[in-house]
Amino acid sequence: MQINISGHHLEITDALRDYVNGKFERLERHFDHITSIKVTLSPEPASHKAESTIRLAGGELFAAAEANDMYAAIDLLTDKLDRQLLKHKEKSVNRNQGH
């Protein structure tokens, strides 16, 4: 799985890169059909924003989250994506069973 991390008006430090990679590895454990992940981190005037697009077999998922610090925004983002992945997984299991 390839994770592409970019910063919008933000330099991606090793600490941020390691944090994002660790969080997204957890998502991959839930759903192993992920082909690529794009993450964009950007400091906004009043908060920090994290966005991600995940390409997977059968589609694409997108989520965005904002928080007071970048690490909290990444946490919120991965929680949202985790829920979306679980929903996607349930749908594909149901389709495969003919329900």
Side-chain angles (χ1 to χ4, degrees), residues 8-86:
H8 188 69
H9 302 296
L10 172 77
E11 184 181 332
I12 303 299
T13 62
D14 288 343
L16 265 177
R17 186 175 305 284
D18 291 345
Y19 193 76
V20 169
N21 284 329
K23 287 292 191 173
F24 278 86
E25 281 173 10
R26 192 188 80 191
L27 294 179
E28 191 181 23
R29 276 185 246 143
H30 288 187
F31 195 79
D32 56 357
H33 298 293
I34 296 172
T35 54
S36 71
I37 296 175
K38 181 180 179 204
V39 180
T40 304
L41 306 177
S42 53
E44 300 292 323
S47 65
H48 294 273
K49 188 173 185 179
E51 298 177 323
S52 180
T53 302
I54 296 181
R55 294 186 194 287
L56 39 89
E60 205 174 80
L61 300 176
F62 174 82
E66 289 188 42
N68 290 336
D69 77 69
M70 192 55 78
Y71 292 97
I74 294 166
D75 289 345
L76 290 170
L77 176 68
T78 52
D79 288 346
K80 285 182 178 183
L81 288 168
D82 197 31
R83 285 192 297 274
Q84 287 184 24
L85 278 171
L86 291 173

